[in-house]
Amino acid sequence: MEEAEVDSPPLRQIGVKSPPLLAPFTTISELKSNRFLVRNLIRREVRGRYRNAALGYGWAVIEPALLALVYWFLFIMLSGNPDKMYAAWVLVGVIVWGCFAKSLNGATNSLTSNVRTMHLVYFPRSIFPIASVGANMIVTMMSCLVMLPIIFVYDLPITIHLFWVPVGVFLAGFMALGLGMMVAPINCIQRDMQHLIRFITRAGFFVSPVMWTAEMAMERGAWGESALWNPMVVPITMVRHGLEGKIVDLPFYIIASSIITAFVMYVIGTIIFSKYERRAVKYL
Amino acid sequence: MNKTSIKLDDIALHFPKQRNIVSIILDFFRKRERNFTALEGIDLEIQQGEVVGIIGRNGSGKSTLLRVISGIYPPDVGKVHAAGDISLLAGLGTGFSAHQTGRENALLYGSILGHSEEEMRKKLDEIIDFSELGSFIDEPLRTYSAGMKARLGLAVASAIKPNILLIDEVLGVGDPSFKEKSKKKILNMVKGASTVVVVSHSFGLMTDICDRVILLHHGKVMCDGAPQDSIKKYYELAGEVNEEK
């Protein structure tokens, strides 16, 4: 056994935190220096989700496909004859919205569900919401494999714009991360937050273009167009248009506002998280 | 060459109490904070090379004190200083995933404890060897017995050689033969680390390995001295408490 005393390290203060205002940057560096841990946590979550299932990861595709089938049926019952691509658009909507909703719920509960780990060891706690969102993004990318048969069935062109598919998924997850980091510490103090967030992800389903598309909204005049300000319109439409093989066809200011919203939420989220995370952990 | 390894200056830690909507509103009007004081006025200096024990009754703040030293809870008052890397040995196998193999769990648990990827790859064989799991290492963890999980946990946790080692009641896991082995391993770690703080209820062990024992009572240091003195004081306190009842 080596003598640890050979080069005695200097005394340093424990638990000095960097200023919260720098949190948007420190979060990235924490992610970078803990990437082995993040990778392992993501793997645990993804493996755990499809455990002991004969179809295993197949459920990442089956679940949104079945859900889309139900909504497609519902839509035909309600309004008759939809566009022939409608079923595919609902499926895309379900997948991308699912990425946002699951990431947001996961990030909100990421601290409360890892109490035992937090009581055992200290590492930057931003790792928990990041790993949770990361796992959901990976599952969503697996779900996106269902788009391959769609491209084949509808005979869609395979173009460079397919690149928008992962970008849209990332944007949806990134938005959920910012929002989730805002509420995760609050959820430690009062669990009301997780109920509120669960409601938001359910209600948001209808005001976001899951069962409808941006084009349908624009046909409805001013009221419909105001719905485009929902920041989730851009990621979902991005994936749809990317799949269709065209550039994201939305007004520029709508795209810009969505991306800016995502960044602002990330900045506010990381700042709130780093400011309150320590206090919040005492409630656990 | 007495060098300070851990230094606590006048530490106090309060835990907030969980409240419902009625008490939140009432407290707001009464301008009152509902707190539970877990630690108060803790001044402590531990030198390099020392093995320090902490004893006290349940809820006296022993585990909380270790968590404060390792940075899990930031103190409300006072400052904590430490030299070198700290590792807390508690709740072996926390974060294990039942659906992954022993090997994957070793990597997962190692990364949770802060090992780097390189380090883990290098030590993986040694860890598997020590855990005595044999071919089970590639089976999912849900097929393991409690003892097997504990063995894997200890094997991973003991692969690190920190400057400061904090041990919270993890001595002796598994079946009797492994218990001996695990105890030996932990004692080895104690020798390898430059500074050790142990929380335990086994006073025999404390007198054997500790240079100094601290008695905590209701979050305050009641006695800080030779093991026998603190243990004697512990029994005096316990006696008093019993008489009160």
Side-chain angles (χ1 to χ4, degrees), chain A residues 19-273:
Chain A
L21 281 178
L22 290 179
F25 305 104
T26 46
T27 305
I28 293 170
S29 65
E30 283 163 0
L31 169 63
K32 218 172 139 197
S33 53
N34 288 287
R35 53 188 186 280
F36 178 49
L37 171 62
V38 174
R39 214 162 56 223
N40 283 318
L41 289 176
I42 289 179
R43 193 174 298 149
R44 176 177 75 176
E45 200 160 323
V46 175
R47 287 278 170 88
R49 191 168 309 171
Y50 299 109
R51 61 187 179 238
N52 305 347
L55 292 171
Y57 296 121
W59 281 106
V61 170
I62 298 166
E63 194 209 336
L66 289 176
L67 213 57
L69 196 68
V70 173
Y71 293 128
W72 179 67
F73 179 71
L74 188 72
F75 195 84
I76 289 181
M77 295 291 280
L78 290 175
S79 80
N81 202 12
D83 151 24
K84 72 170 171 94
M85 288 289 285
Y86 180 73
W89 295 155
V90 176
L91 179 57
V92 170
V94 166
I95 291 174
V96 180
W97 176 261
C99 176
F100 174 76
K102 285 178 195 156
S103 300
L104 179 54
N105 280 318
T108 306
N109 297 327
S110 60
L111 293 181
T112 40
S113 57
N114 281 301
V115 185
R116 277 172 43 82
T117 311
M118 279 190 287
H119 280 172
L120 175 76
V121 62
Y122 181 79
F123 53 77
R125 277 148 191 161
S126 57
I127 298 299
F128 292 115
I130 289 176
S132 170
V133 171
N136 282 302
M137 281 193 202
I138 285 178
V139 170
T140 307
M141 287 316 292
M142 290 197 281
S143 303
C144 283
L145 289 178
V146 77
M147 292 175 189
L148 293 176
I150 291 179
I151 290 178
F152 191 70
V153 168
Y154 289 96
D155 202 17
L156 296 171
I158 295 171
T159 63
I160 184 80
H161 294 302
L162 215 50
F163 162 76
W164 292 111
V165 171
V167 174
V169 169
F170 178 79
L171 186 59
F174 187 62
M175 239 179 261
L177 178 67
L179 205 53
M181 286 182 88
M182 266 180 233
V183 296
I186 306 173
N187 190 42
C188 297
I189 299 170
Q190 297 289 343
R191 300 295 148 90
D192 304 56
M193 218 56 207
Q194 74 193 52
H195 302 291
L196 183 66
I197 290 293
R198 198 150 23 137
F199 166 75
I200 289 174
T201 54
R202 276 187 196 157
F205 182 95
F206 297 100
V207 296
S208 299
V210 182
M211 293 176 67
W212 45 278
T213 63
E215 288 81 3
M216 287 160 127
M218 282 190 266
E219 283 166 16
R220 297 275 165 117
W223 269 108
E225 263 170 49
S226 68
L228 296 185
W229 287 101
N230 175 347
M232 278 305 289
V233 168
V234 172
I236 296 176
T237 308
M238 233 178 215
V239 177
R240 280 177 182 158
H241 288 180
L243 182 61
E244 214 177 350
K246 62 179 188 187
I247 192 146
V248 187
D249 187 15
L250 282 173
F252 174 74
Y253 57 90
I254 295 287
I255 300 180
S257 84
S258 171
I259 292 173
I260 291 170
T261 308
F263 269 100
V264 169
M265 285 202 289
Y266 171 76
V267 169
I268 298 177
T270 47
I271 290 173
I272 291 186
F273 191 87

